[in-house]
């Protein structure tokens, strides 16, 4: 996980493999989570989230001990530096998994794009940022398409919609708060992820046990199913691999390449999700809304990247548009 020797430029094969690795991880985690929570009917997104947090903590801690990665040791100032990021982290994590279990993949992908207008609104209010007319029009297209798709969603699930909008709010707030309050170089992306997971795993376990959620998960009938166990462990591992593959792809290629791969992944999930999961009900108006939203999302993403390139500022992982990483 350390950066390779910069003296030797990476080969074309290495660049291609790193992009494929990121695209595969980004695509697989959505499909695996969907299979666990919908196809198998696993009753607890919270327990799945705990598994992903525990895996992340173990991998990062062992990697730090073996000097594969570096982030600061714990001190009393870290909770103050992070707060309220751990709360936003766990809220984003659990609401994302909960909405995945209750919505079809096309609707989940489309409604997640409300993160974009929420982020723009918060950045305009809190950071005082201004946006071009083209970006505003792209965001309006996203909202129009999402409203058309939602209004004609034959598999409408109120609880799923509530969770996905909470997920949008947590994602937008997390991004804006990080930009306003934190110097990412202080803890590094590995340190932020490690301490977020460490601070929130115990409270999340307590909530899961006290609400009876943990008992439902332990009594789940598929724990003797080898295929289910493999997918559960894969989901836990993919949470970490997605973050690592993002860093790897951005290092060997560029954050621009990572963003393009992320945009392609979002489109793929939306359309393949119509065939996978078994919970998407086709209607012409819904399909039109999905296409308008996806077109607006792609236009917004490439306008954002083009603006970054014209500014002649280096585009790193933190600059990747939100809808491409989610």
């Amino acid at each position: 996980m350390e950066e390779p020797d910069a003296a030797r430029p990476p080969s074309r094969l290495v660049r291609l493999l790193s992009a494929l690795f990121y695209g595969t991880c980004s695509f697989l985690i959505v499909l695996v989570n969907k299979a666990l929570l919908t196809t198998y009917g696993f009753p607890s997104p919270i327990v799945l989230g705990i598994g992903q947090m525990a895996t992340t903590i173990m991998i990062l801690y062992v990697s730090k001990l073996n000097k594969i990665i570096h982030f600061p040791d714990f001190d009393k100032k870290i909770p103050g530096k992070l707060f309220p990021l751990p709360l936003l982290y766990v809220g984003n994590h659990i609401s994302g998994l909960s909405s995945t279990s209750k919505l079809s993949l096309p609707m989940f992908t489309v409604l997640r794009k409300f993160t974009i207008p929420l982020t723009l609104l918060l950045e305009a209010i809190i950071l005082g940022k201004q946006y071009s007319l083209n970006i505003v029009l792209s965001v309006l297209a996203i909202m129009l398409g999402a409203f058309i798709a939602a209004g004609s969603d034959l598999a409408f699930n109120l609880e799923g919609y509530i969770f996905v909008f909470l997920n949008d709010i947590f994602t937008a707030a997390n991004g804006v708060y990080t930009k306003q309050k934190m110097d990412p170089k202080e803890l590094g992306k590995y340190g932020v992820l490690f301490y977020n997971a460490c601070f929130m795993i115990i409270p999340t376990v307590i909530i899961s046990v006290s609400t009876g959620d943990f008992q439902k998960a332990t009594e789940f009938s598929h724990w003797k199913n080898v295929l289910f166990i493999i997918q559960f462990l894969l989901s836990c591992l993919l949470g970490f691999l997605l973050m690592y593959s993002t860093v790897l792809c951005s290092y060997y290629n560029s954050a621009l390449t990572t963003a393009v791969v992320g945009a392609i992944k979002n489109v793929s999930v939306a359309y393949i999700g119509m065939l996978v999961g078994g919970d998407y009900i086709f209607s012409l108006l819904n399909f039109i809304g999905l296409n308008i939203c996806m077109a607006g999302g792609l236009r917004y993403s490439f306008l954002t990247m083009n603006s970054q390139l014209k500014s002649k500022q280096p585009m790193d992982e933190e600059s990747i548009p939100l809808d491409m990483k989610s």
Side-chain angles (χ1 to χ4, degrees):
M1 295 174 202
E2 283 184 322
E3 293 189 349
D5 186 1
R8 291 188 305 170
S11 68
R12 185 174 297 178
L13 179 62
V14 169
R15 293 199 299 267
L16 176 62
L17 289 176
S18 65
L20 285 174
F21 180 43
Y22 164 67
T24 302
C25 290
S26 183
F27 184 73
L28 272 182
I29 192 168
V30 178
L31 295 186
V32 172
N33 286 341
K34 184 64 178 174
L36 288 170
L37 296 167
T38 301
T39 306
Y40 285 103
F42 185 66
S44 176
I46 296 178
V47 170
L48 182 58
I50 291 169
Q52 292 178 350
M53 283 188 272
T55 304
T56 297
I57 291 169
M58 287 188 289
I59 292 175
L60 290 178
Y61 185 69
V62 170
S63 299
K64 178 177 167 61
L65 285 180
N66 288 282
K67 298 183 179 179
I68 299 172
I69 61 171
H70 304 283
F71 54 86
D73 293 327
F74 179 78
D75 65 55
K76 295 178 182 178
K77 294 180 181 178
I78 286 179
K81 291 175 184 175
L82 276 179
F83 188 82
L85 283 181
L87 298 176
L88 298 175
Y89 166 80
V90 75
N92 190 27
H93 210 71
I94 302 305
S95 61
L97 289 170
S98 298
S99 54
T100 301
S101 70
K102 297 181 182 299
L103 295 173
S104 67
L105 286 178
M107 287 309 301
F108 172 76
T109 305
V110 163
L111 295 174
R112 280 288 288 126
K113 290 193 176 295
F114 270 104
T115 299
I116 298 171
L118 283 173
T119 301
L120 265 61
L121 180 63
L122 288 175
E123 286 186 345
I125 295 171
I126 297 173
L127 305 179
K129 293 184 77 171
Q130 294 183 334
Y131 298 94
S132 68
L133 179 61
N134 279 333
I135 286 181
V136 172
L137 290 175
S138 297
V139 171
L140 289 175
I142 291 170
M143 295 175 68
L144 174 64
F147 278 122
I148 292 172
S152 54
D153 182 8
L154 300 180
F156 177 80
N157 183 308
L158 179 60
E159 196 175 350
Y161 273 61
I162 291 171
F163 275 123
V164 79
F165 283 125
L166 284 174
N167 191 223
D168 293 339
I169 292 167
F170 282 125
T171 303
N174 183 70
V176 174
Y177 179 83
T178 301
K179 287 180 183 178
Q180 185 195 30
K181 296 285 187 180
M182 278 192 61
D183 177 7
K185 294 178 182 177
E186 202 167 349
L187 290 173
K189 56 179 61 67
Y190 294 122
V192 169
L193 194 68
F194 178 79
Y195 289 115
N196 275 343
C198 282
F199 292 148
M200 292 313 300
I201 190 168
I202 294 176
T204 307
V205 170
I206 292 171
I207 291 170
S208 179
V209 172
S210 62
T211 57
D213 183 81
F214 188 79
Q215 185 178 355
K216 288 180 185 177
T218 56
E219 293 173 353
F220 185 57
S221 60
H222 283 287
W223 283 118
K224 294 180 181 179
N225 185 328
V226 175
L227 189 57
F228 168 79
I229 294 172
I230 291 172
Q231 290 185 64
F232 186 91
L233 295 175
L234 181 60
S235 174
C236 293
L237 182 62
L238 280 169
F240 169 77
L241 286 180
L242 176 58
M243 178 203 66
Y244 176 50
S245 64
T246 304
V247 175
L248 205 65
C249 183
S250 297
Y251 178 79
Y252 281 123
N253 297 279
S254 66
L256 179 61
T257 302
T258 307
V260 171
V261 174
I264 295 169
K265 181 270 299 183
N266 282 340
V267 174
S268 302
V269 167
Y271 291 111
I272 292 175
M274 295 178 185
L275 307 173
V276 176
D279 52 358
Y280 175 72
I281 302 175
F282 177 85
S283 75
L284 182 59
L285 197 57
N286 178 265
F287 184 71
I288 291 171
L290 287 171
N291 281 281
I292 293 172
C293 186
M294 296 307 296
L298 281 172
R299 179 172 169 76
Y300 161 80
S301 300
F302 287 107
L303 282 171
T304 303
M305 291 186 294
N306 188 48
S307 174
Q308 187 75 29
L309 291 172
K310 284 183 177 178
S311 70
K312 297 182 180 179
Q313 294 177 355
M315 186 178 181
D316 56 19
E317 296 96 272
E318 303 303 322
S319 306
I320 299 173
L322 278 168
D323 71 313
M324 295 187 179
K325 295 193 285 186
S326 59

